[in-house]
Amino acid sequence: MTLRTRFWLLAGLRWLPTGFVIPVGALLPLERGLTIAEYGMVAATQGFVVLLLELPTGGFADALGRKPVFVASAVVALASYVTSALAQVMLAFVVASALSGVFRALDSGPLNAWFVDAVHEDESVADRNATVVRGLSGYASVVGASIAVGAVISGLIIVWAPLGREDSLALPYWIATALAMVQIVVAMVLMHEDRSARVAGVLHSIRATPRVILDGARLLWRSRVLRALVAVELFWGFGMIAFESFMPIRLSELLSDRDEAAAVMGPVTAAAWGVSALGAAMVPLLLRRWSMVGVSVTLRIVQGATVVAMGLAAGPAGLILGLFATYAVHSAAGAIYETLLHEQVGKENRATVLSLASMAMQPAGSIGAITLGVIATGVSTGFAIIVGGVVLALAAPLFLVRERVSAAAGPDPSDRRDLA
């Protein structure tokens, strides 16, 4: 089995459980007695935990190794799924959400960093950048397809399972638990990693983590290119709130029926991720004709425009078509962005820098939710979505920093030492 096939298989196993639980993530707590306000507090717990642990877990992955951290993330995910399935009171759901935050923080980076490390260590690879971008674009396609398949099957299970409503809503979590067990076993078998150069032992790795984090922060401080790329996440995190969180609200307004909107969002979300997978698969074709920087700038502007179109849509059909157009470029833009980010770092800081980028997105998303919420209340939901699209597109010029600095640096624009 090739490295890329192993990478994509592990990605599918990682994201398929997410597809199963997305349709029931809010419904199960409400079915078991939580109010919408209480569910909001439960959901916020995950974000706070991710924000606190994102950078330490990235440094830990750089110090200890990708494989043990990726396996640990699956173990914590399993605990989160079981806790969610069994939870009956708010405190139990808070614990489940906190475990989900730990799992997502651990999961942010180690699998992708393992793949990129392996490509750069393989002397038989002639064009490492091309191999990385093909692998990451395929990864984005696998993620979209896995979430879509999981969401569709989960919806069918809820409808057709011969159980009570509460038990039916919990069933996807039990399936996710089984899939997490499979992920752990497959990761133990398929992830081969040379950890000889890393710190030996968990305790030593914990002690080494602050140094690794500091080295990553210094790298970020020295490199204009890296700072610009991380700043992209600020605009992206703000803008994503518009089409991820406010689209269902706008749909319910256009349909004048929240229940109908909730029923429509299930298949629409699955279809959107399917479109996203197809868009990501087009990345290698785009890069045959244009540079990564040129494609990145174009995709950010196009995605911003599609989000603006969602805000301008006068009917549900237009809104849904706008969402599909947005997702058609969403994963493709993400795959190229991550490739550009990987170019700027080495093996010793790769997961830390990925965590730094992810950390930038967390507060930006929170600010976006608050700001767009105020705009939606004071003006309209459609106008809030338009503002989110404009902010998202404002990230486009940041990619040009790479071209300007690369031209001044000379020989090899992909060599981070020339750009730092």
Side-chain angles (χ1 to χ4, degrees):
M1 188 181 294
T2 66
L3 171 65
R4 191 165 58 187
T5 301
R6 284 182 282 146
F7 176 47
W8 291 348
L9 176 58
L10 288 166
L13 288 172
R14 153 63 184 93
W15 288 100
L16 187 58
T18 300
F20 271 91
V21 301
I22 280 177
V24 297
L27 296 178
L28 182 62
L30 296 178
E31 183 68 21
R32 290 183 173 173
L34 270 65
T35 65
I36 295 176
E38 289 172 336
Y39 169 70
M41 296 173 64
V42 168
T45 302
Q46 174 182 298
F48 288 129
V49 172
V50 172
L51 183 61
L52 290 172
L53 297 182
E54 185 72 73
L55 195 54
T57 54
F60 193 54
D62 281 329
L64 180 62
R66 322 302 190 199
K67 180 177 179 177
V69 175
F70 182 68
V71 171
S73 73
V75 172
V76 179
L78 187 154
S80 174
Y81 298 145
V82 171
T83 305
S84 296
L86 297 175
Q88 296 290 337
V89 297
M90 181 178 174
L91 180 60
F93 281 109
V94 168
V95 172
S97 184
L99 287 170
S100 181
V102 175
F103 138 59
R104 291 183 181 276
L106 287 168
D107 176 69
S108 178
L111 179 60
N112 294 21
W114 166 79
F115 170 71
V116 177
D117 286 346
V119 170
H120 283 277
E121 290 167 1
D122 189 348
E123 296 180 356
S124 66
V125 177
D127 189 341
R128 291 184 172 85
N129 285 339
T131 302
V132 167
V133 75
R134 282 195 297 269
L136 292 179
S137 63
Y139 167 86
S141 295
V142 169
V143 170
S146 299
I147 293 175
V149 170
V152 170
I153 297 175
S154 180
L156 293 174
I157 288 173
I158 293 170
V159 171
W160 295 106
L163 302 170
R165 178 172 173 81
E166 183 178 318
D167 291 333
S168 295
L169 292 175
L171 189 56
Y173 280 101
W174 292 116
I175 296 173
T177 299
L179 290 171
M181 293 179 183
V182 174
Q183 178 190 339
I184 293 168
V185 174
V186 173
M188 294 295 293
V189 174
L190 296 185
M191 288 184 77
H192 306 308
E193 180 180 33
D194 179 10
R195 296 170 55 213
S196 59
R198 301 190 186 278
V199 183
V202 175
L203 291 178
H204 288 291
S205 298
I206 293 173
R207 295 190 190 103
T209 296
R211 176 184 57 77
V212 174
I213 293 173
L214 184 60
D215 288 344
R218 286 171 177 165
L219 179 61
L220 181 65
W221 178 256
R222 291 196 303 266
S223 172
R224 289 178 59 194
V225 179
L226 202 52
R227 290 200 303 274
L229 289 173
V230 171
V232 167
E233 294 279 24
L234 296 173
F235 294 91
W236 206 3
F238 187 105
M240 279 197 295
I241 294 297
F243 62 86
E244 287 189 343
S245 299
F246 283 80
M247 188 276 182
I249 299 173
R250 181 58 178 158
L251 182 62
S252 68
E253 292 173 352
L254 293 174
L255 292 173
S256 301
D257 189 328
R258 288 186 179 180
D259 290 340
E260 185 179 354
V264 169
M265 278 306 300
V268 165
T269 300
W273 278 107
V275 171
S276 180
L278 294 175
M282 297 297 292
V283 168
L285 298 177
L286 294 174
L287 296 181
R288 288 177 188 174
R289 298 193 61 182
W290 299 286
S291 69
M292 280 193 284
V293 170
V295 174
S296 294
V297 171
T298 303
L299 290 180
R300 296 295 166 166
I301 295 173
V302 169
Q303 188 174 30
T306 60
V307 176
V308 169
M310 289 174 60
L312 295 172
L319 180 66
I320 292 170
L321 287 175
L323 182 71
F324 289 166
T326 298
Y327 270 88
V329 297
H330 182 59
S331 292
I336 299 175
Y337 169 79
E338 188 172 335
T339 303
L340 290 170
L341 199 63
H342 280 299
E343 284 186 353
Q344 306 306 315
V345 296
K347 180 178 181 179
E348 66 279 3
N349 301 116
R350 197 176 304 283
T352 300
V353 171
L354 289 176
S355 292
L356 283 167
S358 181
M359 274 189 70
M361 181 181 286
Q362 294 293 330
S366 298
I367 293 171
I370 295 170
T371 304
L372 297 182
V374 170
I375 293 173
T377 302
V379 185
S380 70
T381 304
F383 186 70
I385 293 175
I386 291 171
V387 172
V390 171
V391 172
L392 193 154
L394 290 176
L398 292 169
F399 291 99
L400 298 176
V401 173
R402 179 176 184 270
E403 285 189 331
R404 184 168 66 251
V405 175
S406 296
D412 184 3
S414 68
D415 187 342
R416 68 182 179 86
R417 293 170 296 182
D418 291 336
L419 302 178

